[in-house]
């Protein structure tokens, strides 16, 4: 593809100016400073193409959105077909796509999860879970964990465990208590007669790709049973094969009372969130008033068509198994790099293709991300820990693409360390 450099530079400048004047000036400055001053043009598979004529291997994957890659043709065609029929529901009659996706989710999710409330995002899925837990239990309080990330609306932010996002908006929703992630005893100790539920990520994403002890989620589940409270599993980022299981709670054979999903559920084409609960939870929450919690656009036919197609692709193409195999390849390569430069890259951790690289110094992590970008690989740090770079590529990534990313990472770390040493 031929690029008119002068025209491209003008277009990029115009878009950046629009961001600075009409979207978010601070974000515009931050993106330019971080070396992401180009403009997205198109994407396909594992690759992103920019107005500036550059091609990038996407190792962020929309933080779990693009698990099927960009513009998966099965999902795109399903959405196109639905668009020709009816994109949005009148909310007057039953809708077949909504019903079919809810039934499919009941089929593939663990345990007795049966009923689904559809929304438009992960944050909304968490908001629904919190409201449902309160009305189902008649209790008000929740236990979450430090450095957890559940979203940034008021309820979800109240569950989120980082003060940098919470403090500016306080007072938040009352009744939220935070304990150390990975410490099951701390969960039990925090329970009171007011506790409605414990909400946990099976693996903390924005907290720095933190993998808890193997028995943590199972112990948390048993604690909930012992105290008669609910377990909410936030799998917005870990769901749909990301960790080498269809759902991360399956690593621990845990069956949550409420499950929150989003991101990959839309197949990288449509936004959709889902809150799934057991028969007992749903009866208590919606039994007296089926309209106690609603969403105008939640469960719309376009999004549900995308969700059905996305699940089909994951199953038909064996992407859960691919995540496990490619994740092992990526982890082995990353651990080799870590062994070669342990003073700088202090830890590699994760499951499947949800991997975190923790650096000793934040500046090295930031410069490494910039260096990878200049070498054609997109990476990003986690919101709650800027010392950690996340690796979350599409589950369709190939062996050769992983090797390319590993080489770019090694070169970028070396460059970053040398640059800081010269200062």
């Amino acid at each position: 593809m031929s690029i008119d450099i002068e025209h491209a530079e003008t277009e990029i400048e115009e878009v950046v100016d629009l961001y600075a004047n009409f979207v978010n000036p601070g974000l515009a400055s931050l993106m330019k400073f971080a070396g992401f001053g180009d403009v997205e043009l198109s994407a396909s598979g594992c690759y992103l193409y920019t107005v500036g004529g550059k091609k990038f291997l996407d190792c962020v994957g929309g933080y779990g959105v693009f698990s099927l890659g960009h513009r998966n043709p099965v999902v795109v065609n399903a959405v196109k077909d639905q668009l020709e029929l009816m994109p949005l529901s009148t909310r007057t009659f039953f809708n077949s796509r909504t019903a079919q996706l809810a039934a499919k989710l009941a089929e593939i999710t663990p345990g007795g999860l049966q009923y689904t409330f559809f929304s438009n995002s992960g944050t909304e899925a968490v908001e629904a879970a919190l409201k449902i837990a309160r009305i189902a239990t008649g209790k008000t309080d929740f236990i979450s964990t430090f450095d957890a990330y559940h979203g940034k609306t008021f309820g979800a932010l109240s569950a989120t465990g980082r003060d940098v996002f919470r403090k500016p908006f306080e007072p938040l929703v009352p009744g939220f208590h935070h304990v150390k992630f990975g410490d099951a005893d701390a969960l039990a100790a925090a329970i009171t007669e007011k506790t409605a539920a414990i909400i946990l990520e099976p693996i903390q994403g924005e907290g720095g790709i933190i993998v808890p002890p193997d028995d943590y989620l199972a112990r948390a589940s048993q604690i909930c049973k012992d105290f008669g409270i609910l377990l909410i599993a936030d799998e917005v980022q870990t769901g749909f094969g990301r960790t080498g299981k269809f759902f991360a709670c399956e690593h621990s054979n845990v069956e949550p009372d409420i499950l929150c999903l989003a991101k990959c559920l839309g197949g990288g084409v449509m936004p959709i969130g889902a809150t799934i609960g057991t028969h007992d939870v749903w009866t208590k929450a919606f039994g007296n008033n089926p309209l106690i919690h609603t969403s105008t656009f939640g469960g719309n036919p376009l999004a549900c068509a995308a969700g059905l197609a996305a699940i089909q692709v994951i199953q038909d193409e064996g992407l859960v198994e691919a995540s496990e195999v490619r994740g092992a390849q990526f982890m082995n390569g990353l651990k080799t790099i870590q062994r070669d430069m342990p003073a700088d890259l202090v830890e590699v951790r994760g499951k499947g293709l949800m991997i975190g690289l923790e650096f000793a110094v934040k500046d090295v992590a930031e410069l490494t991300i910039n260096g990878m970008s200049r070498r054609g690989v997109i990476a990003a740090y986690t919101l709650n820990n800027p010392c950690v770079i996340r690796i979350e590529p599409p589950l369709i990534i190939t062996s050769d693409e992983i090797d390319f990313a590993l080489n770019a990472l090694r070169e970028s770390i070396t460059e970053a360390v040398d640059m800081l040493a010269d200062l």
Side-chain angles (χ1 to χ4, degrees):
M1 181 173 62
S2 178
I3 298 294
D4 183 332
I5 296 177
E6 184 176 349
H7 179 270
E9 289 178 348
T10 299
E11 182 176 345
I12 292 168
E13 184 177 345
E14 288 175 350
V15 172
V16 172
D17 285 346
L18 289 173
Y19 261 74
N21 289 310
F22 303 107
V23 180
N24 187 327
L27 178 63
S29 296
L30 179 62
M31 291 174 69
K32 288 175 64 179
F33 178 77
F36 294 98
D38 210 333
V39 175
E40 297 173 331
L41 176 63
S42 64
S44 179
C46 291
Y47 292 93
L48 171 73
Y49 303 87
T50 69
V51 169
K54 296 178 181 178
K55 173 183 176 182
F56 297 91
L57 175 64
D58 184 358
C59 281
V60 178
Y63 315 107
V65 171
F66 299 110
S67 294
L68 280 60
H70 295 270
R71 293 193 304 114
N72 180 278
V74 174
V75 181
V76 169
N77 287 332
V79 171
K80 284 181 177 179
D81 290 344
Q82 183 59 47
L83 184 62
E84 293 296 326
L85 294 173
M86 187 178 195
L88 297 177
S89 170
T90 65
R91 298 297 181 192
T92 306
F93 299 97
F94 294 104
N95 185 273
S96 59
R97 292 291 178 265
T98 306
Q100 290 162 3
L101 181 55
K104 176 59 70 173
L105 289 171
E107 174 189 323
I108 65 174
T109 51
L113 295 169
Q114 181 176 352
Y115 296 99
T116 296
F117 174 84
F118 289 110
S119 55
N120 309 284
S121 67
T123 296
E124 291 176 60
V126 169
E127 289 284 346
L130 298 174
K131 290 179 68 178
I132 289 167
R134 274 191 169 177
I135 195 169
T137 63
K139 300 177 181 179
T140 58
D141 288 13
F142 295 91
I143 300 169
S144 183
T145 56
F146 296 120
D147 290 326
Y149 185 85
H150 298 291
K152 290 177 179 172
T153 53
F154 265 104
L157 182 58
S158 301
T160 291
R162 186 117 190 271
D163 282 346
V164 67
F165 300 118
R166 293 166 52 85
K167 287 289 187 184
F169 300 101
E170 291 179 341
L172 297 173
V173 178
F176 285 82
H177 311 277
H178 295 80
V179 300
K180 182 181 178 182
F181 183 69
D183 186 342
D185 292 334
L187 291 174
I191 294 173
T192 72
E193 69 280 357
K194 295 182 179 180
T195 304
I198 293 172
I199 179 168
L200 296 172
E201 302 160 272
I203 297 173
Q204 282 193 338
E206 303 300 340
I209 317 297
I210 305 299
V211 182
D214 290 341
D215 66 345
Y216 177 64
L217 206 61
R219 289 188 63 195
S221 178
Q222 188 59 52
I223 288 167
C224 288
K225 291 181 174 66
D226 292 344
F227 283 88
I229 64 176
L230 303 179
L231 176 64
I232 303 171
D234 180 346
E235 293 229 30
V236 168
Q237 194 165 157
T238 56
F240 298 103
R242 173 55 52 186
T243 69
K245 293 284 188 182
F246 220 113
F247 301 100
C249 60
E250 293 176 324
H251 287 288
S252 305
N253 295 315
V254 164
E255 301 174 359
D257 301 289
I258 301 174
L259 179 66
C260 299
L261 302 171
K263 293 192 183 292
C264 175
L265 177 56
V269 177
M270 292 295 299
I272 182 171
T275 307
I276 312 170
T278 63
H279 181 275
D280 182 60
V281 167
W282 233 248
T283 300
K284 292 175 179 176
F286 292 98
N288 292 329
N289 183 353
L291 300 178
I292 196 70
H293 186 67
T294 58
S295 170
T296 299
F297 295 115
N300 67 76
L302 277 181
C304 289
L308 285 163
I311 293 170
Q312 176 190 332
V313 170
I314 292 168
Q315 293 177 324
D316 290 352
E317 298 186 10
L319 296 187
V320 177
E321 295 79 11
S323 175
E324 184 178 19
V325 172
R326 295 299 174 218
Q329 177 190 351
F330 229 139
M331 288 283 284
N332 289 336
L334 292 167
K335 287 181 177 179
T336 297
I337 295 173
Q338 193 269 331
R339 284 194 295 269
D340 291 343
M341 44 188 74
D344 305 300
L345 179 55
V346 297
E347 187 177 9
V348 175
R349 55 181 179 257
K351 283 184 182 293
L353 282 169
M354 185 174 183
I355 303 170
L357 316 177
E358 182 157 0
F359 290 81
V361 179
K362 175 174 66 73
D363 291 346
V364 173
E366 292 174 351
L367 288 170
T368 296
I369 290 170
N370 184 280
M372 292 178 72
S373 174
R374 286 185 280 104
R375 290 169 174 83
V377 179
I378 302 174
Y381 60 81
T382 57
L383 280 177
N384 286 349
N385 189 343
C387 286
V388 178
I389 291 179
R390 68 171 80 225
I391 301 292
E392 293 185 47
L395 307 185
I396 62 171
I397 193 169
T398 67
S399 177
D400 288 345
E401 287 166 341
I402 290 173
D403 288 341
F404 178 79
L406 289 168
N407 184 62
L409 175 69
R410 181 184 286 275
E411 291 181 358
S412 298
I413 297 174
T414 301
E415 178 184 70
V417 172
D418 291 345
M419 186 181 303
L420 290 173
D422 291 338
L423 294 179

